[in-house]
Amino acid sequence: MKLTLKVWRQKNKEAKGEFKTYQADHVSTDMSFLEMLDVLNTSLIKKGEDPIHFDHDCREGICGMCSLYINGHPHGPLQTTTCQLHMRTFKDGETITIEPWRAGAFPVIKDLVVDRTAFDRIQQAGGYVSVNTGGVPDANVIPIPKKVADEAFDAAACIGCGACVAACKNASAMLFVSAKVSQFALLPQGHAERKERVEKMVAQMDAEGFGSCTNTKACEAECPKGISVTNIARMNREYLSAMFTNYKVEVGGGGD
Amino acid sequence: MFCKSLTSIFGSHQKFPNNMKWVIDLFTSSLGRKLIMALTGLFLISFLVIHCTINAMIFYNDNGETFSHWGHFMGTNPIIRTLEIGLVAGFLFHIVQGLMLVKSNSAARPVSYSVAAPPPQSTWYSRSMGLLGTLLLLFLIMHTAHFWIPNRANQFAHGEELPLYSKMQDVFSNPLIVVLYVAGCVSLFWHLLHGFASAFQTLGLNHQKYNGLISFVGTAFSIVVPLIFALMPIAIYLKWIN
């Protein structure tokens, strides 16, 4: 199949970007979207041009590295990751517009590559369970109902790709943050630090400059892992309860 | 931005009592600002119930007798008048916070997409609350200029209420005004259709047992209340009520 590609090219963070049009004349319907770009890049390299920079890693739909805003949709028209999107989804002769994720908190590094370290900083702020030293406890000692484990796992399926931010008209990161808050809040191992966790993660999310959620549900519809907005409601509950009830201990723990 | 304006009021976070800093942190956070929108929104919804019920008294078609009786009660009862201060505050908080959220949310995406195809699961009115709210604000300015402001001004100056029923007849004799009021009610319908259920989601009240109920009540409310409101200028203009 033959395709016309309108691709966002931008030299670096400071440079002004623009769309450049490329012709892809020998595209197989069995190619993944990234493979189609690989072939285009090979031809650009052969011509001595700068290849199109884009993020990718596992190409199995589980790492969250690939991105691309294709024809108005993060990860393209299907609810999957770009690496799992195949060219048979498109029509012969179609014009495909490829843009980077657009968000102030995700600045463009080059072409279609954006800096998503804001997500890393949110995770580092509280998206973990502190594990103290000691023997490994038996996994079955802590009773967790199957449905709770399943619900936590559904939240944990978030791969942190940023499609929610890309899809949201407010560039809000609340689906991502709420998934990370939920996966711990639901499980007993996460209970101990739940209040500090949600406070710190929301504070970091705000500091990064993401927008606010207006419940348009575009994130849920575009998320390649189908993360539900019920997680956002849970984060709201967690946050409000933490803000109204959490307290600081100003003195030492009585150890000395 | 809200944070900065608060800081300018209180000098700095440090000068504000430390044990109350969390209140500032809460209401300047993205989630706290959403909470303000949800709570004031639900409060304004409760106001709509009262406003709609009392105004619907004109449909008794008794030359405004029942309507004027309750209108007089609402306009003079000291408890209601005190609550009215809260209502004005509720409107101001909802409007100011809403406009500030629109500003900060659009600032979160400095470069927009050249192609945008929102998914069908996301409704246009949920993405247009700022626009619908602005239309409602314009309507509110016109509406209060017609009734509430002159009435309260007259009460303040002369200690007497204006004859609101005859004022309604007068205002709604103009077909352009009737069209603008109906357009205001249509904006209110779309605004409520998203806002009602959205407020519950923001409060964290999302539960599979009650989501259906919230959605049903929200949709019914969004249809019934603006419809009754829209019928008032129409009924007066077409002289169904005389």
Side-chain angles (χ1 to χ4, degrees), chain A residues 111-132:
Chain A
D111 297 340
L112 303 168
V113 179
V114 297
D115 182 355
R116 284 173 282 182
T117 49
F119 271 15
D120 298 341
R121 288 188 291 273
I122 294 171
Q123 277 289 73
Q124 285 156 9
Y128 51 81
V129 173
S130 299
V131 179
N132 299 317

Side-chain angles (χ1 to χ4, degrees), chain B residues 41-42 44-46 48 94 125 129 132 136 185-199 214-215 217-227 229:
Chain B
L42 289 174
L44 296 177
I45 281 172
S46 73
L48 283 180
H94 196 76
Y125 50 90
M129 290 299 271
L132 291 166
L136 283 172
C185 293
V186 172
S187 306
L188 181 64
F189 161 71
W190 292 116
H191 199 74
L192 285 172
L193 197 59
H194 177 66
F196 192 100
S198 181
I214 292 169
S215 164
V217 173
T219 308
F221 187 91
S222 315
I223 295 169
V224 171
V225 171
L227 185 68
F229 274 130

Side-chain angles (χ1 to χ4, degrees), chain B residues 54-160:
Chain B
I54 290 181
N55 279 43
M57 302 291 177
I58 62 165
F59 294 116
Y60 273 117
N61 210 358
D62 54 1
N63 209 18
E65 208 173 296
T66 319
F67 165 75
S68 299
H69 172 75
W70 287 105
H72 179 69
F73 169 76
M74 295 302 281
T76 51
N77 183 290
I79 296 171
I80 303 287
R81 293 298 305 279
T82 312
L83 285 175
E84 193 179 64
I85 299 167
L87 178 67
V88 173
F91 266 111
L92 287 177
F93 269 106
H94 196 76
I95 292 164
V96 172
Q97 186 69 269
L99 290 172
M100 287 195 334
L101 275 169
V102 167
K103 193 166 177 262
S104 63
N105 283 342
S106 66
R109 173 163 295 137
V111 182
S112 51
Y113 292 112
S114 79
V115 181
Q121 295 93 323
S122 165
T123 57
W124 72 267
Y125 50 90
S126 73
R127 298 192 305 273
S128 313
M129 290 299 271
L131 171 72
L132 291 166
T134 307
L135 290 175
L136 283 172
L137 175 60
L138 295 174
F139 169 78
L140 188 70
I141 292 167
M142 175 182 75
H143 178 49
T144 50
H146 279 149
F147 300 101
W148 186 74
I149 294 170
N151 193 30
R152 290 287 176 272
N154 203 60
Q155 274 177 294
F156 185 72
H158 308 293
E160 258 181 50

